[in-house]
Amino acid sequence: MSEMLEKARKYEYEQGKQIKAEDRPAFHVSPYVGWMNDPNGFSYYQGEYHLFYQYYPYDTHWNSMHWGHVVSKDLLHWKHLPAALAPDEDYDKIGCFSGSAIELEDGRQLLLYTAVDQETMEDGTVRDIQTQAVAVGDGKDYKKYEKNPVLTAKDLPEGASKVDFRDPKIWKGKDGNFYCVIGSRPADGSGQILLYRSENGFDWKFVSILAKNKKRFGKMWECPDFFELDGKHVLLTSPQDMLPEGLEYHNGNGTLCIIGEMDQDKYTLKEQFAQSVDYGIDFYAMQTLGTPDGRRIMIGWMQNWDTIAHRCNDSKWFAQMSLPRELSVKNGRLYQTPIKELDAMRKDRVEYNNVVINNDTISLDKIEGRTIDMELVIRPEDKENVYKKFALRFAQNERFHTELCFRPDESVLKIDRKFSGSERALVHQRRCLVNGDANELKLRVILDRFSAEVFINDGEQVMSAVIFTEQEAKGISFFAEGAAKIDVMKYDLV
């Protein structure tokens, strides 16, 4: 073990155990101490789910990237393991950036990651150079390959940048070979996804440009993932520097799902449908795995580069992952639902049916809390005279609240956290165009201390947001302008 990795492990062990469990999310992954961003190496290995993440243990701001590490049996109760990687070699001394993990035939776990070094240009400027490297281990300790890096600028197609060449996602093909997709930037400054193949996970060859942005969705495409699901091929990626398109894509760092079919001869994706992955404020850099029982599960960084100033300033940890979500493809759309394992945490059911709210704000007995799973169905009390607005407020007290607001005439759902206690002028609202009619809106709202995830119409769309409202704010209320009828079912998550 290098001195740098040993130092990181010692520091996180001493500092992480000083953070009280109640000061963290209850069932979302957070760093043991310090900073977290992209999920890495999301995989199933030797009977456990493994999740690694971009990690800087020494501060709650981005810096020299390590890999943090957690494991779980159920994707909800996570155990912190010692840091897996540190930037301790010449080829990765600027950082061990994002990557993925897979089990080799000999039973070892292989980590494939982006190694970052720097070079000085003729004009004296310094720029990052990104290559791909591997490390192999036993689920806890990992040794970097002596022939690293395994993919360099010489393995790029013509015109592709060696500065933006990152985030390999690996899988085992039906033909027995390993494949990976890597984010890249071509000569036009836009994004593209490259496909590589390897027989053993160590020796890689370029196959094709799987997908091209052509300046449609932002610029560089980061953190790609590619898999087959429900008879379609699905490409997930996180574009930088996006411009908004209606309410589908928003400014800045976004998410993109392209659904289509694979051209098996050209190894290119024939696009059929495109959409955002998450319509809320905080979600980026998602990664998926296949479970032993055949599900495709996705997890994302429940944060955004444009909103990282929204934080608890005195906290010893920063950022968290989303709830793991089960994916499916229906009618050309990506659907997401909370993993079924969450049902085992549901306790103390409280249910109300056909509650009418008419130009009023109401609360319902025992409908409150900050670690809850709540299902809502909202309908007009009179279909001939549809209500103008419905609002759900949560994490509420006399001073603070976060709000979900639906206007059926526009079919727009808005999440708004501007009154959640933040002192920063950041993005605090985001709107989503909901599919379907005004006669019924179904919401499932998962709260976990510092976050809200809203699953819309059985997972057709999702909105995620971080909130740092004081934990004593547990109130929930309902408002309607006009007459709305609601069904509510709430569980505590224990």
Side-chain angles (χ1 to χ4, degrees), residues 342-401:
L342 191 68
D343 292 350
M345 291 179 62
R346 287 174 151 195
K347 299 286 186 293
D348 303 323
R349 170 172 161 159
V350 181
E351 186 171 3
Y352 292 86
N353 289 298
N354 297 314
V355 177
V356 176
I357 312 168
N358 193 346
N359 291 306
D360 197 7
T361 299
I362 68 165
S363 298
L364 296 171
D365 187 41
K366 296 184 179 177
I367 303 288
E368 63 173 19
R370 289 288 288 275
T371 51
I372 66 165
D373 184 348
M374 182 168 64
E375 297 181 24
L376 267 176
V377 181
I378 304 111
R379 301 179 297 273
E381 207 268 333
D382 174 6
K383 289 186 180 180
E384 303 301 316
N385 189 18
V386 177
Y387 62 91
K388 298 284 191 297
K389 172 184 171 183
F390 171 82
L392 164 71
R393 289 183 171 181
F394 53 88
Q396 183 177 22
N397 60 12
E398 296 78 16
R399 191 175 184 192
F400 303 122
H401 67 266

Side-chain angles (χ1 to χ4, degrees), residues 267-458:
Y267 287 96
T268 55
L269 178 63
K270 294 187 286 186
E271 299 178 15
Q272 295 172 325
F273 308 98
Q275 65 175 90
S276 276
V277 179
D278 193 290
Y279 295 80
I281 303 170
D282 297 300
F283 193 84
Y284 194 73
M286 50 278 165
Q287 194 168 101
T288 75
L289 60 72
T291 64
D293 62 3
R295 292 174 294 159
R296 177 63 54 172
I297 307 290
M298 178 182 73
I299 199 166
W301 183 41
M302 197 160 44
Q303 197 59 59
N304 191 296
W305 292 110
D306 295 315
T307 60
I308 56 175
H310 182 49
R311 58 174 68 223
C312 286
N313 290 320
D314 58 349
S315 178
K316 297 285 192 280
W317 61 270
F318 176 71
Q320 59 191 306
M321 296 303 174
S322 72
L323 189 70
R325 304 169 183 179
E326 296 183 20
L327 302 184
S328 58
V329 175
K330 303 174 193 172
N331 304 316
R333 279 201 67 87
L334 184 75
Y335 278 69
Q336 307 166 54
T337 55
I339 51 168
K340 65 182 183 183
E341 287 85 349
L342 191 68
D343 292 350
M345 291 179 62
R346 287 174 151 195
K347 299 286 186 293
D348 303 323
R349 170 172 161 159
V350 181
E351 186 171 3
Y352 292 86
N353 289 298
N354 297 314
V355 177
V356 176
I357 312 168
N358 193 346
N359 291 306
D360 197 7
T361 299
I362 68 165
S363 298
L364 296 171
D365 187 41
K366 296 184 179 177
I367 303 288
E368 63 173 19
R370 289 288 288 275
T371 51
I372 66 165
D373 184 348
M374 182 168 64
E375 297 181 24
L376 267 176
V377 181
I378 304 111
R379 301 179 297 273
E381 207 268 333
D382 174 6
K383 289 186 180 180
E384 303 301 316
N385 189 18
V386 177
Y387 62 91
K388 298 284 191 297
K389 172 184 171 183
F390 171 82
L392 164 71
R393 289 183 171 181
F394 53 88
Q396 183 177 22
N397 60 12
E398 296 78 16
R399 191 175 184 192
F400 303 122
H401 67 266
T402 296
E403 182 177 271
L404 277 172
C405 168
F406 180 62
R407 294 186 179 273
D409 60 329
E410 303 173 347
S411 206
V412 168
L413 181 68
K414 179 174 74 173
I415 191 163
D416 184 348
R417 65 174 183 201
K418 67 178 177 287
F419 295 114
S420 68
S422 171
E423 298 168 345
R424 302 270 66 83
L426 299 165
V427 175
H428 288 310
Q429 299 178 342
R430 187 130 298 146
R431 295 182 300 156
C432 168
L433 183 63
V434 174
N435 294 318
D437 59 41
N439 288 325
E440 185 173 278
L441 174 68
K442 295 173 73 176
L443 302 177
R444 185 173 174 186
V445 181
I446 312 288
L447 302 184
D448 182 8
R449 291 182 182 154
F450 307 101
S451 65
E453 289 164 279
V454 182
F455 296 81
I456 305 161
N457 289 335
D458 299 313

Side-chain angles (χ1 to χ4, degrees), residues 53-230:
Y53 52 89
Q54 292 288 277
Y55 182 41
Y56 186 66
Y58 306 109
D59 197 358
T60 55
H61 294 265
W62 188 92
N63 205 305
S64 178
M65 283 294 98
H66 296 54
W67 272 35
H69 191 187
V70 290
V71 293
S72 175
K73 296 282 191 186
D74 65 357
L75 293 161
L76 294 167
H77 300 89
W78 296 90
K79 174 187 173 187
H80 285 92
L81 292 183
L85 297 175
D88 50 17
E89 299 286 349
D90 281 345
Y91 54 81
D92 66 11
K93 62 179 178 285
I94 302 303
C96 299
F97 278 19
S98 291
S100 50
I102 202 164
E103 184 171 352
L104 297 172
E105 288 186 5
D106 62 10
R108 295 179 298 164
Q109 189 178 34
L110 179 138
L111 311 182
L112 176 62
Y113 69 97
T114 295
V116 187
D117 195 5
Q118 287 183 334
E119 70 175 16
T120 303
M121 309 304 291
E122 291 180 2
D123 62 1
T125 58
V126 176
R127 67 174 184 177
D128 287 352
I129 298 298
Q130 299 184 342
T131 61
Q132 315 311 315
V134 297
V136 179
D138 60 2
K140 184 179 178 184
D141 298 305
Y142 299 86
K143 185 170 188 267
K144 293 177 182 176
Y145 184 41
E146 63 271 11
K147 294 181 182 177
N148 275 340
V150 297
L151 282 168
T152 66
K154 68 178 175 51
D155 303 296
L156 287 166
E158 186 177 351
S161 168
K162 59 183 179 180
V163 177
D164 291 309
F165 175 42
R166 58 183 174 272
D167 313 333
K169 178 59 177 13
I170 190 172
W171 74 93
K172 190 81 172 280
K174 293 175 182 175
D175 59 4
N177 288 313
F178 294 100
Y179 289 86
C180 77
V181 283
I182 304 179
S184 165
R185 181 173 284 192
D188 70 357
S190 184
Q192 64 185 10
I193 303 300
L194 308 180
L195 179 66
Y196 291 84
R197 180 194 294 124
S198 171
E199 291 183 8
N200 57 17
F202 297 87
D203 303 302
W204 291 88
K205 299 289 185 190
F206 173 73
V207 176
S208 66
I209 300 174
L210 179 75
K212 296 180 180 180
N213 185 5
K214 300 176 183 173
K215 298 188 176 181
R216 294 171 297 160
F217 305 107
K219 294 180 181 175
M220 173 66 183
W221 281 1
E222 295 195 303
C223 303
D225 200 340
F226 187 62
F227 50 89
E228 214 172 332
L229 184 63
D230 297 328

Side-chain angles (χ1 to χ4, degrees), residues 207-271:
V207 176
S208 66
I209 300 174
L210 179 75
K212 296 180 180 180
N213 185 5
K214 300 176 183 173
K215 298 188 176 181
R216 294 171 297 160
F217 305 107
K219 294 180 181 175
M220 173 66 183
W221 281 1
E222 295 195 303
C223 303
D225 200 340
F226 187 62
F227 50 89
E228 214 172 332
L229 184 63
D230 297 328
K232 294 292 184 182
H233 281 85
V234 180
L235 173 66
L236 303 178
T237 189
S238 294
Q240 297 179 310
D241 307 313
M242 294 187 82
L243 291 171
E245 289 183 32
L247 298 181
E248 186 65 33
Y249 306 105
H250 55 74
N251 309 64
N253 298 282
T255 57
L256 175 66
C257 170
I258 295 174
I259 298 171
E261 294 178 354
M262 186 73 164
D263 184 324
Q264 301 294 350
D265 297 321
K266 297 179 180 177
Y267 287 96
T268 55
L269 178 63
K270 294 187 286 186
E271 299 178 15

